[in-house]
Amino acid sequence: MSIDLGLPALPPPVLAPRRKTRKIKVGKVEVGGDAPISVQSMTTTLTSDINATLQQIAELTATGCDIVRVAVPSQDDADALPAIAKKSQIPVIADIHFQPKYVFAAIEAGCAAVRVNPGNIRAFDDQVKEIAAAATDHGTSIRIGVNAGSLDKRLLAKYGKATPEALVESALWEASLFEEHGFRDFKISVKHNDPVVMVRAYELLSDACDYPLHLGVTEAGPAFQGTIKSAVAFGSLLSRGIGDTIRVSLSAPPVEEVKVGIKILESLNLRPRHLEIVSCPSCGRAQVDVYKLADEVTAGLEGLEVPLRVAVMGCVVNGPGEAREADLGVASGNGKGQIFVKGEVIKTVKESEIVETLIEEAMRIADELGPEAVGAGGAQVSVS
C-alpha cells in the first residue's frame, strides 16, 4: 500500500498576524520585523569559568536556543567575555547591572548585544551618548531590560509599586535617551513576576512604540509553576502578535527553559513543529497503560527532528479518530494495537509490540521525508 507522506503545502494558521516592529540584529540572529520569534536563555555558570560557560552554551545550542545571555557582575567575568563571544556558536548577550564600565567592556569584547537595567546602573543616563557611540561602532545591539524587582526609585516613589505604567515609563525614558543620540538598535523588556501585570505592561508598551519586544515573566518560579505562568503570559501576548523574542525564567536547568519556550512557540504555530506526541489523559475506558506507552514512545523518539505527529490512544472512543488524524498513531484495545500511518491502518500488533512498532515506523517515515523536512513543520504525533 502506498501512503503519501508529503508535508503540508500551506503554512499552519496563526491566531493573529505579528505586530509590526523594527528589526534589529543580535549577532547573526534577527529580532523583530518579519524575523522568526527567537528563544533565549541564560547561563548559570560563573562567566569567569570560560570552559564551564562554553559547555553550558553548547548544551543550550543543541537544545535549540537561539541567543544566550551571560552574567557579568565582576571584572573577572568581563575579562572572560572575548573568549566566550568568539567561541560560542550562538550570539552572546552580556547582562550588566550596577557598573557602566562593563557595558563598554562587553561591547569591546565582541558580544552580540548588551542588556542594561536602567533601574540599577549607576550614572547610566549620563553615559548613554558614549554607550550609543561604542555600540554603533561595533554593531552591537542593546536590550533595555526593566524589572519589577529593580525599578528606578524615582518611579517607585511616583507610582508606589511596580505597576505596568511604571515599568513602561522606565523603559520609554531610557529609549528616549538613546534616541536623542540617533541610536535605535535596541529591544525592550518590561518583566514582572505576576503574569497579569506583565501582560498589561507589554500591551501598553506595544501601543507606545514599534521597538522589538523581549517577553519574560521574571522569577517565574520552579519548573511547573514557572512553565504555567510563562505559558499563560506568553500565550496571551503572542496570540495577539505581541512579542519578538522570549525567555522562560525557571528555577531549573537552562535547557529546560529552552524546551518550554520552544514548545510554547510550536503550540501557537509560531515555530515549525518537530515531534509532537498527542496522548489522552486516560480514563476507565482505557484498556492499555497509556501513561507508560506515551512515556516509552516519547523516550524512543527523543531527538527526532522531522515534523511528526504521533498519536498514542488507549480506547475505542477517540482512539481511531485521533490515530487517523496523526501522521502516525495507534488505537489500542483488547491487548492489541492498530497502527495508522496517514489515516490508513497498516497493521495490527500485540500490545507488547506497540512501542517498538511505532518507533520503527517513525524512523521509516523520517528517512522517507529526508533531511529537507527538518524544520518544515506540520507533522505531529498523538498519544491518547
Side-chain angles (χ1 to χ4, degrees):
M1 180 182 297
S2 176
I3 297 172
D4 181 15
L5 296 175
L7 294 173
L10 298 175
V14 295
L15 291 170
R18 288 276 297 283
R19 160 184 172 267
K20 294 182 179 179
T21 59
R22 300 172 62 90
K23 182 184 289 186
I24 66 170
K25 281 194 170 184
V26 180
K28 64 184 180 181
V29 176
E30 293 181 329
V31 176
D34 60 356
I37 298 172
S38 51
V39 176
Q40 304 192 24
S41 187
M42 188 171 183
T43 57
T44 57
T45 57
L46 291 174
T47 305
S48 57
D49 188 338
I50 295 173
N51 289 337
T53 301
L54 286 172
Q55 175 62 37
Q56 194 168 75
I57 291 175
E59 294 169 359
L60 289 167
T61 303
T63 306
C65 187
D66 299 302
I67 300 169
V68 66
R69 185 155 43 108
V70 299
V72 189
S74 73
Q75 186 61 52
D76 287 342
D77 299 313
D79 292 341
L81 290 176
I84 293 171
K86 181 179 180 180
K87 294 180 180 179
S88 173
Q89 293 184 332
I90 57 177
V92 173
I93 298 177
D95 193 67
I96 312 295
H97 300 269
F98 304 112
Q99 295 289 349
K101 67 179 182 179
Y102 295 146
V103 176
F104 295 101
I107 293 172
E108 292 289 338
C111 289
V114 177
R115 181 275 176 100
V116 295
N117 186 337
N120 65 17
I121 289 193
R122 301 186 188 100
F124 175 79
D125 293 356
D126 297 334
Q127 299 190 46
V128 168
K129 180 178 180 180
E130 290 77 13
I131 291 172
T136 299
D137 289 344
H138 289 79
T140 308
S141 59
I142 288 175
R143 170 159 74 98
I144 297 174
V146 179
N147 265 27
S150 53
L151 190 64
D152 190 302
K153 292 181 180 179
R154 295 168 293 183
L155 291 170
L156 280 176
K158 177 179 178 179
Y159 289 94
K161 60 181 180 179
T163 65
E165 293 78 9
L167 296 171
V168 172
E169 183 173 329
S170 176
L172 293 178
W173 167 254
E174 295 302 331
S176 71
L177 297 180
F178 280 101
E179 290 170 341
E180 287 179 7
H181 302 290
F183 187 87
R184 290 180 171 81
D185 290 335
F186 56 83
K187 52 191 171 74
I188 302 177
S189 65
V190 282
K191 296 187 179 184
H192 198 286
N193 61 62
D194 184 331
V196 175
V197 176
M198 174 269 201
V199 167
R200 183 55 183 154
Y202 279 101
E203 290 173 338
L204 294 173
L205 188 58
S206 179
D207 289 339
C209 71
D210 67 348
Y211 289 110
L213 301 184
H214 169 118
L215 303 187
V217 178
T218 189
E219 292 99 32
F224 178 76
Q225 173 183 293
T227 295
I228 299 299
K229 290 171 71 172
S230 297
V232 167
F234 292 3
S236 175
L237 293 166
L238 293 170
S239 66
R240 289 177 285 151
I242 300 173
D244 300 284
T245 184
I246 65 173
R247 189 264 171 116
V248 177
S249 298
L250 302 178
S251 299
V255 293
E256 298 304 315
E257 297 184 347
V258 175
K259 291 177 182 178
V260 172
I262 289 174
K263 282 301 178 185
I264 290 173
L265 294 181
E266 288 182 353
S267 296
L268 293 167
N269 286 337
L270 294 171
R271 176 174 281 223
R273 301 187 185 203
H274 292 156
L275 176 66
E276 180 181 356
I277 303 279
V278 179
S279 61
C280 69
S282 192
C283 68
R285 295 190 303 267
Q287 297 178 331
V288 296
D289 188 339
V290 176
Y291 302 153
K292 182 180 179 182
L293 282 180
D295 285 344
E296 291 180 352
V297 171
T298 301
L301 297 179
E302 184 176 4
L304 193 67
E305 294 190 354
V306 299
L308 189 68
R309 172 179 285 167
V310 178
V312 181
M313 308 301 293
C315 82
V316 297
V317 175
N318 296 319
E322 289 285 357
R324 285 193 182 94
E325 289 298 315
D327 298 294
L328 170 65
V330 60
S332 306
N334 296 321
K336 298 178 181 180
Q338 283 188 316
I339 306 298
F340 289 77
V341 174
K342 287 294 183 181
E344 300 286 343
V345 176
I346 62 166
K347 66 178 72 173
T348 300
V349 300
K350 294 185 293 186
E351 181 178 338
S352 60
E353 298 172 353
I354 290 175
V355 173
E356 180 183 358
T357 303
L358 286 177
I359 293 173
E360 288 177 352
E361 290 298 322
M363 296 305 178
R364 181 184 62 79
I365 292 172
D367 287 341
E368 291 187 14
L369 291 176
E372 65 275 7
V374 175
Q380 305 168 12
V381 177
S382 304
V383 180
S384 286

